[in-house]
Amino acid sequence: MSQATEEPEQLQEIGHDEYNPIGTLALIGLYFVILVLLWLFVYFVEFLGNDPTVIGAVLTMVGLQ
Amino acid sequence: MSNAYIDKFPAEAKVVKAAFYSSFLALALGGVFGVIQTLHRTDIYRFIDSADYYTVLTAHGVFMVITFTIFFLVGVFTWAVTTSLDRGVEDIRFTWSWVGLMTIGTVMAGVAILAGFVDSIDISASVLFTFYAPLQAHPLFYLGLVLFVVGTWVAGADWFRSWWAWKKENPDARIPLPTFMVLTTMIMWYIATMGVATSILVFLLPWSLGWIETVNPLLTRTLFWFFGHPVVYFWLMPAYLLWYTMLPKFAGGKLFSDPLARVGFVLFLLLSTPVGIHHQYLDPGIAEGFKFIAMTNTMFLLLPSFLTAFTVVASIEHGARQRGGTGYFSWLKSLPWRDPVFAGMALAGLLFAAAGFSGMVNAGMNINYLVHNSLWVVGHFHLTVGTAVALTFMAVSYWFIPQVTGKELWNRSVALIQVVLWFIGMTFMTNSMHRAGLIGMPRRTAEPQYTGFEFETAVGSVGELNAQIALGGVLLTLSLVLFFANIIGTAFGSRSDNLPDNGYAEALSGSDDAPRVLDNLKLWTAIAVVLVIIAYSLPLMSIVDRGGLFGPDITAFPANLESVRFLAFAVEHLGTAALESAGTLAWNTLPEVIR
Ligand code: HEM
Ligand SMILES: [Cu+2]
């Protein structure tokens, strides 16, 4: 058994100016889309789709009550 | 000869090790109670009395989110300050004093909770980790909490001391990033703990000692949540510290941006506290307007959260590209997934992203009605504190324990299996908890089944949900067993010279690029205090106005106990002196901290 974290093998040195975190943008963008879709689902199907709770359905729509 | 932490800071390594081992002990206890309650509430295996369920739940909650997390993070913070300032603590006896305070506090609170299982001792503290009145604990519990928190205050003073001493010798240097993160977190913690300190010292402790008749439950609840949201960041910010300053290194890259990391931590300092009322959307007696303000502040927290997500992922991607990764998504394959430290931390981050979704639902004032007090919430925070924080801490232990013991990790493959098992276990347990919450299954309930009533599921069944929860709980317990096997195996190993060097990740864009004003801690403290005053003074005034400072007449549960009278007497005559000096200490350190 060797060290807990062996130094990862590095093939190249990428400096500040050569680096474009395009994969990060793609990943976070994808995450954001999933978030919005899930939220819409929970809001419209699970929340508004169920019977009104103590607060009325109209006020819920406005999002203020 | 290696260059590990213990080689450079042998005395401090002992402190950090003691903190880690204390935290692991709490994790073990918490885990035992965790699986008991999982099997009980799913009706898979019940061997305790359902009335004792709440004692189990209190022990699980307190040992996990107070003892395990906080003991671990004071260890990390001590490591972070000494490593990044490259100097030992100012006075090691002072350092041990806060370890001692925290330990005594834990033992007192723990004894009070566990005594709840023994009928012949009339001490109990089955008040859950939120200790809402009228649930009442034995004074020992509140006193223990106070000592524990005072211990963390002294710990903070210790780190500030180190920084002041360092600053004298390096007047123009930027605060090294890890120390900067520790200091901002601690300022947040000083502000936040004013809430519980007031709640306990002014109301709950005197009430449990019988010195005052009643309390105003809404007031003590609100003071609890004044602390209860920022405590979440007290767990998370150390995990972020590790993600920002260690994870890039494990990934083979550099931190994407030091300035962005600083901005993130400043924003967390400013925004953590004035949001606590978002836990009280369903509390009658707080006007909707105040809740709306809390919600707005909460939404602002998305900013530093996304900032953190972006910076951390970009740093990991940098590592992947340096290791030859390419493409929009295929760089992910170039990451060191076989390294348990990296894999554990990355998987923790992945489940944290899932928690972002349930958190958004919790945060919305109206949609919160759907999930409030349901099992959904339990699913949510087992992803946040129970995974993002806990799994990060466990994974990084595989790096830290060798650093502070000087011994090689017992078994890397077991470590890798352990972190993956936690990920799988939590996936089972939390997805089903979320779904169970959506159909209205309550949390904090020993027997969530009712005659003449069936929960309606759109997909699956209640049996399937319960089976998933129980399976997840069992996998998690197995994962814990592997974790402790590794820690114990390592502890009994022999000293090694073949350890990785101590250190943290370099930055692509370093502190020179960060505006100086970011290091102006006085300014950020002042703004944070002002925001708290704006967010809380009116709600607190209106709560006191309606319910009175000491509240309407409420009946404590359980009824006053015999042993309390004796303890009240003892505390009055012996303890007040101790409390006073603790108070003086706190007041003396506070101005220094704010200075
Ligand atoms: C072995 C792993 C674990 C299992 C099986 C487990 C299981 C559970 C279950 C089933 C509940 C809900 C009980 C109810 O509401 O009726 C619960 C509550 C809770 N868990 Fe865990 N958990 C585990 C690990 C953790 C970890 C690592 C943390 C935090 C670091 C944590 C923190 C909490 C908290 C704060 C509560 C709420 C207590 C309350 O409602 O007062 N758990 N846990
Ligand atoms: Cu919160």
Side-chain angles (χ1 to χ4, degrees), chain A residues 1-17 19-28 30-32 34-44 46-48 50 53-55 59-65, chain B residues 249-252 254 256 288 292 306 309-310 313-315 317-318 321-324 328-329 331-332 339-341 352-354 356-357 360-361 365-367 369-370 376 398-399 402 408-413 438 498-500 508-509:
Chain A
M1 287 299 116
S2 74
Q3 309 169 349
T5 37
E6 59 213 10
E7 284 304 313
E9 75 275 27
Q10 182 180 324
L11 301 178
Q12 50 182 329
E13 176 83 35
I14 301 179
H16 184 251
D17 296 332
Y19 177 50
N20 250 329
I22 186 78
T24 302
L25 202 66
L27 213 56
I28 303 251
L30 179 70
Y31 173 57
F32 193 73
I34 295 174
L35 267 191
V36 170
L37 291 179
L38 278 173
W39 191 85
L40 290 175
F41 174 77
V42 172
Y43 194 83
F44 287 101
E46 293 285 349
F47 183 56
L48 294 186
N50 278 318
T53 49
V54 269
I55 49 166
L59 286 172
T60 340
M61 297 288 281
V62 193
L64 273 179
Q65 186 67 45
Chain B
K249 191 172 95 134
F250 299 136
K254 289 183 177 166
F256 181 63
E288 299 284 294
F292 191 83
F306 266 94
F310 182 83
V313 176
S315 313
E317 186 191 346
H318 181 249
R321 304 256 176 226
Q322 294 208 118
R323 294 160 58 92
Y328 282 102
F329 293 107
W331 55 272
L332 287 165
D339 171 7
V341 184
F352 192 49
F357 160 65
M360 250 167 60
V361 171
M365 237 172 106
N366 49 5
I367 196 169
Y369 281 59
L370 182 68
W376 167 287
Y398 297 133
W399 185 82
E408 269 181 61
L409 188 67
W410 174 63
N411 192 314
R412 261 170 72 88
S413 313
L438 280 182
N498 182 28
L499 296 171
L508 271 180
S509 161

Side-chain angles (χ1 to χ4, degrees), chain B residues 30-194:
Chain B
V32 170
F33 293 119
V35 72
I36 293 176
Q37 73 203 11
T38 306
L39 297 177
H40 190 97
R41 66 166 291 143
T42 52
D43 201 8
I44 306 258
Y45 181 57
R46 289 182 173 164
F47 69 96
I48 55 162
D49 189 21
S50 279
D52 283 338
Y53 183 84
Y54 303 94
T55 309
V56 172
L57 191 52
T58 307
H60 177 73
V62 171
F63 287 139
M64 284 299 194
V65 297
I66 305 292
T67 324
F68 159 57
T69 50
I70 298 183
F71 259 116
F72 194 90
L73 74 89
V74 294
V76 170
F77 279 7
T78 304
W79 164 84
V81 169
T82 46
T83 298
S84 67
L85 297 181
D86 197 22
R87 68 185 290 139
V89 297
E90 298 311 299
D91 178 353
I92 196 80
R93 284 164 307 169
F94 186 72
T95 304
W96 279 110
S97 78
W98 56 256
V99 178
L101 272 174
M102 288 175 65
T103 310
I104 297 169
T106 304
V107 170
M108 285 166 66
V111 164
I113 295 170
L114 297 179
F117 289 117
V118 188
D119 289 339
S120 53
I121 310 176
D122 70 345
I123 293 179
S124 77
S126 305
V127 291
L128 307 180
F129 84 103
T130 42
F131 47 89
Y132 292 153
L135 291 181
Q136 193 182 57
H138 192 275
L140 200 60
F141 173 77
Y142 301 114
L143 280 170
L145 288 186
V146 169
L147 285 189
F148 184 83
V149 169
V150 170
T152 62
W153 288 347
V154 180
D158 199 4
W159 302 319
F160 268 94
R161 250 178 106 178
S162 285
W163 172 54
W164 287 322
W166 175 87
K167 203 165 62 163
K168 275 208 195 90
E169 293 162 20
N170 305 271
D172 294 320
R174 298 303 298 258
I175 310 175
L177 184 62
T179 300
F180 179 85
M181 291 171 159
V182 171
L183 300 182
T184 39
T185 306
M186 289 315 292
I187 295 172
M188 182 221 55
W189 180 243
Y190 283 115
I191 298 174
T193 43
M194 290 300 131

